[in-house]
Amino acid sequence: MKKRSSTTGLPGEFCGKCLLALVILATAWGCKRGGLIDPSAGLDEDQKAVQNLVYALADSASSLDQFRGMFAKDKAPPSTDMAKYKEFMFYVVGDITITGTTANFTTGIETQVGEAEPVIVEKPWTAVKEADGWKLSDAPLP
């Protein structure tokens, strides 16, 4: 039987986790002087759209239609490669350079196997602006 907190009636383990979470949040708040880092600060709307496209790629790999919708016409990887994209986290490293309807940027591709430290590989990626918004045109994996 779980030990209950005398003040809340909740299990003591739950209250301890809540307290730990509050301490971590307070520490993070104090270290950042009241603010969190905004990865899209200073980006224009097109750059933000490209950045969001990159962040959402791994999640889109759970649906073939969503996954294909992230890519420009005829640029999606084969459906047999879709599962590979679920294994990684993607984020933009450095600047997103937009020239006309083409965006060039470096993507950090992070994977973690078991308890090992994450492995990060950087690859150049490209996106293009189509009628319905920004789409990836070249998104190689390591």
Side-chain angles (χ1 to χ4, degrees):
M1 180 157 188
K2 290 186 178 180
K3 184 178 178 182
R4 299 225 176 241
S5 168
S6 60
T7 58
T8 63
L10 297 173
E13 181 181 324
F14 177 77
C15 291
K17 287 180 181 177
C18 289
L19 181 59
L20 179 61
L22 287 173
V23 169
I24 290 170
L25 285 173
T27 302
W29 185 268
C31 291
K32 301 290 184 196
R33 296 187 182 195
L36 299 175
I37 296 172
D38 180 3
S40 62
L43 300 181
D44 66 27
E45 291 306 310
D46 284 328
Q47 291 169 321
K48 286 179 186 178
V50 170
Q51 183 182 57
N52 290 335
L53 183 66
V54 172
Y55 288 158
L57 183 59
D59 289 337
S60 77
S62 59
S63 161
L64 184 58
D65 288 338
Q66 274 187 329
F67 183 71
R68 285 184 177 157
M70 304 290 278
F71 288 87
K73 184 177 181 184
D74 300 324
K75 295 293 186 176
S79 59
T80 55
D81 289 348
M82 185 177 83
K84 294 177 187 176
Y85 284 82
K86 282 195 244 185
E87 299 173 16
F88 300 98
M89 283 182 21
F90 305 101
Y91 54 91
V92 175
V93 177
D95 296 330
I96 300 169
T97 304
I98 297 178
T99 306
T101 59
T102 303
N104 294 291
F105 51 95
T106 300
T107 298
I109 304 167
E110 180 178 324
T111 186
Q112 185 166 0
V113 179
E115 298 293 320
E117 287 292 316
V119 175
I120 301 169
V121 176
E122 294 181 2
K123 292 280 190 177
W125 283 18
T126 307
V128 294
K129 191 170 191 177
E130 294 184 338
D132 56 344
W134 286 97
K135 305 288 183 172
L136 294 168
S137 60
D138 188 31
L141 294 176

